[in-house]
Amino acid sequence: MLRLLFAFLFVFAVRAASDPFIAKPYLQLGDAPKAAKQETLTLVWHAADSDANWSAEVRKPGGKWAAQPAPTFRRVAVKDIDAHRVYASVLSKLKPGAEFQYRVMKDGEEVFSAKGTARKSAKQPYRFAVFGDCGAGTKAQGVIAERLHESKPDFVFTTGDIVYSNGRISEYRQKFFPAYNSEKTPLTRSTLLIAAPGNHDLSRRDLNLFPDSLAYFYYWNQPLNGPLTVNGTPNSPVLIGPPGENQAAFLEAAKGAYPQMANFSFDYGNAHWTVLDSNRYSDWTDAKLQQWLITDLKSARRAAWRFVAFHHPGLHSSKAHALDQWMRVLSPIFEQNGVDIVFGGHVHNYQRSKPLRFAPSGGVAKNGVVEGEVTLDKNFDGKTNTKAEGVVYIVTGAGGAGLYDPGQEHDPASWKPFTEVFKSNQHSVTIADMEGKRVSIRQVSEDGTVLDSFTITK
Ligand SMILES: [Fe+2]
């Protein structure tokens, strides 16, 4: 018996020692904001900082393997973390919406394989999921990851606070990759995950305190079409504290992504998504930022749907973070440019607004408050009347971190008049089915209960 156990442990140890990955491959959108006849996705994996002959191959199910362009890598060498490489291989010539298989080779030997689905074209129906405030290392986070995986979305979007509490490499390793790319929940190896950065992702900018924070800029590989391009630009996550080795190490490792990837936009299927950095250092009353947003939304005129996503919700009813609603200053721009839904997180529960218009009476006060007037569409019910007059604001921040204000769920008197649904007793995810000019959305809880469902048509 003892021999058997030793034999098992030996095999296990050898396998663990030969695992070539620090983080197993996961799918990213890459710098590909627009749909194409021949789609791409970017496969990312982390490995030791030593030379090896890495390559990736793609095929249609059952077809012939096609070699992909040689992977590139960014070298991350920051204090307290072993230097490692973040490889990126652009998987090319994918057929829109079609399933494909891929494999990763190291020194000529296959070390990983999985399947994925290319971005859907504007004519194909699809499903996406949205969740936020997730990487807390809780049991609920794991359950929500399973709900996400079993709902089989074509892609998943997270509204930020990806890892708690400081957006560090060490936290990604403890609370992100094990939850979303494990043998049990192999979500991100096969399903595209796109992220907006939250406060816990980009606020820890003193690299002398947290040398391995701001990992968002190393580990995500997303479009680089944002408005902020240079280190130190106002309205970007400017580094705090005296320059030194830690800042230099960050700037070297994050080259090309920082600070540009803080904001971006992309198309998926028949929708255009605009992703904003809502952290307090971003002054969204700034004319340049607003102009970028307006230009971006106007450029998406041909999209059937326009979604905007950012971490701090512009309109919500929670007692928690009641003052953190400065993003409502952008509501008129959303309304004038045909935005349908705004997704947020930050507040750890689920809330849905009535379709609404908001007219600010001024700018953002020091405490974050934006005063103004709300006009509600009270006829929309999401069932029989599905034409929304105005923008629907969804808070979906119940992805794993501790829930906020559970007492408010059954206390509608505590909700603002614009709030239609408020679910704060269970963790949950948002699942949307898109078909032409119809979107059907449901909010699914930890135990699979549908907490809310509604449809918007146009
Ligand atoms: Fe947050």
Side-chain angles (χ1 to χ4, degrees), residues 105-327:
M105 329 281 280
K106 186 186 177 194
D107 296 329
E109 190 191 331
E110 180 181 318
V111 287
F112 192 84
S113 67
K115 61 182 184 178
T117 305
R119 168 164 45 191
K120 301 271 172 152
S121 76
K123 287 182 182 154
Q124 293 169 317
Y126 59 101
R127 171 176 293 167
F128 66 87
V130 190
F131 74 124
D133 306 270
C134 48
T138 58
K139 194 166 167 254
Q141 181 195 0
V143 177
I144 287 299
E146 284 174 36
R147 292 291 88 80
L148 280 166
H149 185 54
E150 73 192 12
S151 70
K152 296 188 169 52
D154 291 298
F155 81 101
V156 178
F157 190 92
T158 172
T159 50
D161 281 2
I162 304 160
V163 291
Y164 289 91
S165 287
N166 299 305
R168 304 174 79 161
I169 289 172
S170 49
E171 292 165 334
Y172 270 83
R173 291 179 176 178
Q174 286 161 17
K175 304 175 198 171
F176 183 79
F177 297 115
Y180 304 112
N181 200 12
S182 66
E183 296 304 318
K184 185 170 172 247
T185 315
L187 179 72
T188 55
R189 65 188 61 184
S190 294
T191 306
L192 170 62
L193 177 56
I194 303 174
N199 53 305
H200 286 276
D201 306 306
L202 299 195
S203 290
R204 307 305 189 258
R205 291 172 286 128
D206 187 341
L207 294 162
N208 296 317
L209 281 177
F210 304 108
D212 64 332
S213 70
L214 297 175
Y216 172 78
F217 294 106
Y218 310 140
Y219 291 169
W220 294 83
N221 197 314
Q222 313 198 106
L224 300 170
N225 55 357
L228 307 167
T229 55
V230 181
N231 175 30
T233 310
N235 303 313
S236 77
V238 176
L239 302 180
I240 296 170
E245 278 177 23
N246 292 345
Q247 286 195 10
F250 166 76
L251 292 170
E252 179 61 27
K255 217 181 245 172
Y258 171 84
Q260 190 134 359
M261 208 174 64
N263 306 274
F264 61 95
S265 70
F266 66 95
D267 292 337
Y268 194 104
N270 60 358
H272 179 75
W273 288 70
T274 311
V275 181
L276 307 180
D277 179 4
S278 59
N279 278 297
R280 198 64 204 277
Y281 52 72
S282 303
D283 174 10
W284 280 101
T285 64
D286 181 275
K288 264 195 198 155
L289 282 192
Q290 288 200 355
Q291 196 48 56
W292 176 81
L293 173 61
I294 292 167
T295 305
D296 181 75
L297 291 171
K298 284 198 190 309
S299 76
R301 229 178 241 135
R302 286 175 61 194
W305 297 87
R306 268 162 288 273
F307 301 138
V308 177
F310 46 80
H311 183 64
H312 303 74
L315 291 111
H316 77 84
S317 281
S318 248
K319 289 171 186 169
H321 293 318
L323 298 177
D324 293 3
Q325 301 186 55
W326 48 81
M327 291 302 280

Side-chain angles (χ1 to χ4, degrees), residues 22 27-28 33 56 127-128 208 211 257 294 340 344 435 437:
I22 294 170
L27 291 172
Q28 295 280 283
R127 171 176 293 167
F128 66 87
N208 296 317
I294 292 167
D340 301 286
E435 191 155 12
K437 295 194 169 180

